[in-house]
Amino acid sequence: MSNEYLITENEREKNEAKEEFYDELSEQTLLGTLLNCPELLDVYGTSLQKSDFNSEASRLIYEFIDVYRGYYGNDFTDLKVRRVFRKLCQENASYGVISKEEDFYECALMPLMDLGLKDGEKDNRFYRTVKGLSTLRKLKDLGFPIDKFVNKGDVSKLSSEEILTKLSENLDKLRENNGENTGCIISENLVTCLKDLLISPEKGLVTPFNFINENLNGFTKNSLTMIGGLSNTGKSRLMIYILLYLILRNKVKVCLLSNEMTQAEFSHIIITTILNMPLFQAMHGKLIKVEQSTVTKAEFTDKNGRILKKGEEETKEAFVYRVLEESPLFSDVMDILVCFEENFGECFHFVNISEDYSPERIKAVIKAMKQKGCTVFAYDTLKAYKSSEWQELTQSATVFSELIKGDRDGIIGITSFQLTDHSQLYSPEDLSSMNIATAKHIMHVADSMIMFLRIKKEECRNFTIDNNKKFSDGKNYLAAKIIKNRNGNGKDKLYALSADYGCNLWQEEGELTPVKR
């Protein structure tokens, strides 16, 4: 039985070209099984991906099932199906090619349901076939001579694991010939390891937040820390605050890769942060407070409070000199920025990757910036390159993580990521990997993960800050939660932060405890 409705002529020609690694019936039966038993998506997890389906129509159906579950769970109805289908059509015109909105449920999904198994957990043979054929296609695309280790008659019978095992056996033989499997006896070096730690304890870079320093041991070499928040809660501002603190406190060179904001936009935040940061104020001795709006609008006043403006006939140089002479605040600001440039001017590097943030570009940037002495690499914000697919985001996160962890010189990685929109409905103590937008699986490649949410004014009564510190009406409060920590400390603990967004000042207020009711 074949669902002809889902296959276009062009696609059929492509499939015939790949006929030896394609089973149309298995793909459609698996999709029908997923429609009958959507909870199987949780069982298969990351092992089953959209790209495992050879047919474009099958890939779209798989994506539809995954997206639909996020909205409506496991109950499929015509009305709900139409809503999700309409939304996906707006994002991807290909949906309109495979079906009309009014026909999608009855003509596309229902035939698949009839074809699919009713209890997929007990019978996974179609999953095994689809996954196995996908593995063969990917290996062939990578240039592996599949016919050398897989018999044609076994093509549709082997699972992905069995195929990779066969490939691994061949690679192991090659490694044995090259003497690459010797390894080391790790258990005979434990005493030496402890002695080395006694002399040089493993401590990372000191951050502006005690809860990171104490629980995560700061930012350690070859580690990746992920920081997640909702849109418009200050992820980029927090990243700038942390990076500037690392520069001032640890005297390191940092590189910020951004696909979010331009160099000018970041420069305005950096200037504001430098002017207001207590750590730098302690170095230069000028205690001032300057809002970013003052910087961007250049609204500097004279001693009488009048805003100084450029005259029509006045040159730029003359205007700057006049403001420097007549505005005490502008004079202080210039002194502070000159002080920073003289002492730390070569420490903060920026690369705008908004046009190309592919894994290849990120690799090239890190390699180039390492040659300039950068040891801390921050990525704002982690996204899938030219795709909304979670697999692409996971791949980007994995590549960034591998670059950090595999570096011989011990570089450090920090990245921000987006929480799901519905996270705003959560209480901070309930945050988990389920709140990661697009790809929950990026958590697996992180050494540590922190999420933060704003605490609304009406929610303050639901928490206490240690030492009975009171919430102030004039502050913006956020709750930070340690979601993952390979050091084992502080997992699931909550900490209160306060943020002055105008001056980009962040402060840790203490441990946050939910009030029992």
Side-chain angles (χ1 to χ4, degrees):
M1 180 179 181
S2 173
N3 191 344
E4 298 292 334
Y5 192 87
L6 295 178
I7 307 297
T8 64
E9 282 304 315
N10 287 338
E11 191 174 353
R12 188 174 298 283
E13 289 177 7
K14 292 179 182 178
N15 291 339
E16 287 173 355
K18 291 186 176 180
E19 187 175 356
E20 57 180 333
F21 301 134
Y22 173 53
D23 187 333
E24 180 182 322
L25 179 61
S26 292
E27 286 197 1
Q28 294 184 8
T29 305
L30 177 57
L31 288 171
T33 303
L34 292 175
L35 286 163
N36 294 330
C37 313
E39 61 276 7
L40 284 175
L41 286 173
D42 298 326
V43 175
Y44 295 144
T46 58
S47 63
L48 181 63
Q49 303 178 4
K50 179 180 174 181
S51 58
D52 288 324
F53 295 88
N54 186 52
S55 157
E56 181 183 6
S58 295
R59 291 194 294 270
L60 293 172
I61 296 291
Y62 175 80
E63 181 181 55
F64 173 86
I65 298 170
D66 194 27
V67 173
Y68 183 96
R69 286 193 77 213
Y71 283 100
Y72 298 117
N74 298 337
D75 180 30
F76 288 88
T77 66
D78 187 24
L79 181 60
K80 293 176 182 177
V81 165
R82 288 191 185 200
R83 289 174 182 167
V84 177
F85 185 81
R86 190 181 310 130
K87 180 180 184 301
L88 289 173
C89 278
Q90 294 171 352
E91 297 174 358
N92 187 345
S94 297
Y95 278 94
V97 175
I98 67 168
S99 174
K100 295 179 181 179
E101 179 186 323
E102 60 270 19
D103 297 334
F104 186 65
Y105 180 68
E106 184 175 347
C107 298
L109 297 190
M110 289 184 67
L112 289 174
M113 291 178 180
D114 293 338
L115 188 63
L117 303 176
K118 307 305 178 187
D119 191 350
E121 286 196 43
K122 293 183 179 178
D123 187 348
N124 69 346
R125 65 183 185 276
F126 296 103
Y127 162 76
R128 280 169 51 90
T129 299
V130 170
K131 190 66 184 176
L133 292 172
S134 168
T135 301
L136 288 172
R137 288 195 303 272
K138 291 174 181 177
L139 288 173
K140 186 175 182 180
D141 289 342
L142 290 171
F144 284 93
I146 297 171
D147 56 319
K148 298 292 184 182
F149 61 91
V150 176
N151 296 325
K152 262 197 170 181
D154 295 333
V155 162
S156 61
K157 299 176 183 178
L158 295 174
S159 69
S160 177
E161 185 176 346
E162 289 168 339
I163 292 166
L164 293 176
T165 298
K166 283 179 172 290
L167 177 61
S168 179
E169 288 171 353
N170 284 273
L171 292 175
D172 286 343
K173 291 177 182 178
L174 181 61
R175 290 193 186 99
E176 287 172 9
N177 292 334
N178 292 337
E180 294 180 5
N181 285 333
T182 54
C184 67
I185 304 175
I186 192 172
S187 56
E188 68 179 8
N189 296 316
L190 301 180
V191 172
T192 302
C193 178
L194 181 59
K195 289 179 180 178
D196 291 342
L197 287 172
L198 183 64
I199 303 301
S200 302
E202 188 180 79
K203 289 187 177 181
L205 297 181
V206 178
T207 78
F209 304 111
N210 287 330
F211 80 94
I212 294 179
N213 299 331
E214 293 175 2
N215 294 307
L216 276 59
N217 215 5
F219 292 147
T220 56
K221 292 181 178 181
N222 297 116
S223 69
L224 174 60
T225 301
M226 293 186 174
I227 302 174
L230 286 163
S231 292
N232 203 33
T233 53
K235 295 190 299 298
S236 298
R237 293 178 178 275
L238 176 59
M239 184 74 81
I240 292 295
Y241 189 84
I242 290 173
L243 293 178
L244 282 171
Y245 188 95
L246 295 179
I247 290 171
L248 295 169
R249 177 66 185 267
N250 302 280
K251 296 180 175 60
V252 293
K253 287 187 178 182
V254 308
C255 176
L256 173 62
L257 294 78
S258 175
N259 51 31
E260 284 286 301
M261 294 193 284
T262 64
Q263 179 179 344
E265 290 170 324
F266 269 118
S267 295
H268 300 161
I269 301 174
I270 290 172
I271 291 172
T272 305
T273 309
I274 290 171
L275 297 177
N276 295 293
M277 183 172 274
L279 179 62
F280 194 43
Q281 289 184 346
M283 295 180 184
H284 58 66
K286 294 182 182 291
L287 305 180
I288 64 173
K289 190 172 184 180
V290 182
E291 295 273 345
Q292 185 174 329
S293 59
T294 301
V295 174
T296 54
K297 295 178 182 178
E299 293 180 337
F300 293 96
T301 60
D302 60 17
K303 294 178 182 179
N304 298 318
R306 292 175 299 190
I307 297 176
L308 297 168
K309 296 182 179 181
K310 181 177 175 294
E312 291 184 8
E313 303 297 327
E314 195 172 23
T315 64
K316 293 180 181 179
E317 292 76 11
F319 176 58
V320 171
Y321 181 79
R322 180 165 65 86
V323 177
L324 195 60
E325 289 292 310
E326 298 181 12
S327 172
L329 177 59
F330 185 73
S331 177
D332 285 342
V333 166
M334 289 294 286
D335 287 344
I336 293 169
L337 294 179
V338 168
C339 176
F340 181 85
E341 288 190 1
E342 288 177 348
N343 292 278
F344 306 99
E346 296 183 356
C347 290
F348 204 138
H349 296 258
F350 173 80
V351 181
N352 188 335
I353 57 172
S354 58
E355 294 298 321
D356 179 5
Y357 45 94
S358 62
E360 293 75 19
R361 175 81 192 286
I362 293 171
K363 286 181 184 178
V365 169
I366 290 179
K367 182 178 179 180
M369 300 313 294
K370 268 194 64 183
Q371 294 177 351
K372 294 188 176 182
C374 293
T375 56
V376 178
F377 291 86
Y379 185 2
D380 181 60
T381 300
L382 186 63
K383 294 179 183 178
Y385 179 56
K386 291 186 178 179
S387 171
S388 59
E389 293 185 20
W390 62 263
Q391 302 101 308
E392 297 295 332
L393 179 59
T394 303
Q395 182 187 11
S396 295
T398 302
V399 168
F400 191 64
S401 174
E402 289 174 348
L403 289 169
I404 300 299
K405 295 177 183 179
D407 185 77
R408 294 182 178 180
D409 298 319
I411 59 177
I412 294 167
I414 313 166
T415 184
S416 60
F417 65 91
Q418 182 80 13
L419 297 185
T420 57
D421 291 339
H422 69 262
S423 296
Q424 58 190 324
L425 305 177
Y426 278 61
S427 181
E429 66 265 31
D430 296 326
L431 288 173
S432 69
S433 62
M434 296 301 293
N435 297 95
I436 303 173
T438 309
K440 300 167 181 54
H441 316 287
I442 64 172
M443 179 174 173
H444 302 307
V445 302
D447 295 286
S448 53
M449 179 176 284
I450 301 166
M451 294 182 185
F452 66 92
L453 284 178
R454 278 181 178 168
I455 304 176
K456 303 181 183 72
K457 287 186 178 181
E458 62 271 19
E459 294 176 334
C460 290
R461 57 188 176 86
N462 298 330
F463 301 93
T464 59
I465 303 176
D466 59 4
N467 300 323
N468 295 318
K469 187 183 293 185
K470 292 184 178 180
F471 288 93
S472 172
D473 291 336
K475 286 186 176 182
N476 298 302
Y477 287 96
L478 302 99
K481 182 179 181 181
I482 298 176
I483 304 297
K484 180 180 180 181
N485 180 16
R486 286 196 169 141
N487 286 336
N489 300 326
K491 186 179 180 299
D492 294 330
K493 281 189 175 182
L494 290 173
Y495 296 89
L497 306 179
S498 61
D500 181 338
Y501 294 114
C503 295
N504 201 35
L505 286 173
W506 297 72
Q507 182 175 339
E508 181 179 341
E509 301 288 346
E511 189 170 342
L512 196 64
T513 305
V515 175
K516 294 182 179 180
R517 299 187 182 279

